[in-house]
Amino acid sequence: MLELTMVTVSGADAGATAGMTLAELPSEPGAALRVGRDAAVCRLVTPEDWLFVSRVHLEFRCGPDGTWQLTWHRGSQPDPASEVRLTHGPHAQAVGYGATVPLPRGGAGEIVVQERSGPRSVNVGFFHEV
C-alpha cells in the first residue's frame, strides 16, 4: 500500500495543513497515482493557476515486485519552472527533470516541488506499507 498526503504551500501559509489531500493505492503491479494540475488524470490536484506544476507533474507507479517509483514527467517547456526533491530519513536527493527514482521499500518521506521563481511549493508525503 502506498499512502500519499499532499499540501500546497504559499509563502505565508508555511506549516499549514488545512488543505491536505490524501490518496492511497495497493502495491499491485501497474498501479499509478499522479500529481498535477489536470483533475481528469491526477488523483492529487494542485491549483490550476500554479503554472510551475505541469498538468501531470509527478507519477508514482508500482513495479512488478511491489516496489514504487517516482517519475517527474517532462512538461511542455524545455526548462522546468520548478525543482523536485525527494527526502527520506536523513537522505535527500534532487530528482532530475524527466527522471525516475525508486522510493524506499517500506519507508516514508517527502517529495517537494519547489517553484523556482517564488515561495510556493507542493509537498507530498509518502508512506509505503509492506
Side-chain angles (χ1 to χ4, degrees), residues 32-92:
L33 282 168
R34 293 173 192 87
V35 177
R37 291 183 292 121
D38 188 345
V41 293
C42 297
R43 289 268 304 272
L44 297 174
V45 182
T46 64
E48 288 183 25
D49 63 341
W50 283 30
L51 300 181
F52 70 96
V53 177
S54 301
R55 286 180 178 85
V56 178
H57 201 84
L58 303 175
E59 180 178 81
F60 297 83
R61 182 169 293 277
C62 187
D65 59 354
T67 60
W68 287 85
Q69 294 184 344
L70 167 70
T71 299
W72 178 8
H73 286 283
R74 293 184 72 84
S76 60
Q77 302 299 318
D79 295 316
S82 63
E83 297 175 352
V84 175
R85 184 176 64 255
L86 166 68
T87 60
H88 57 95
H91 307 288

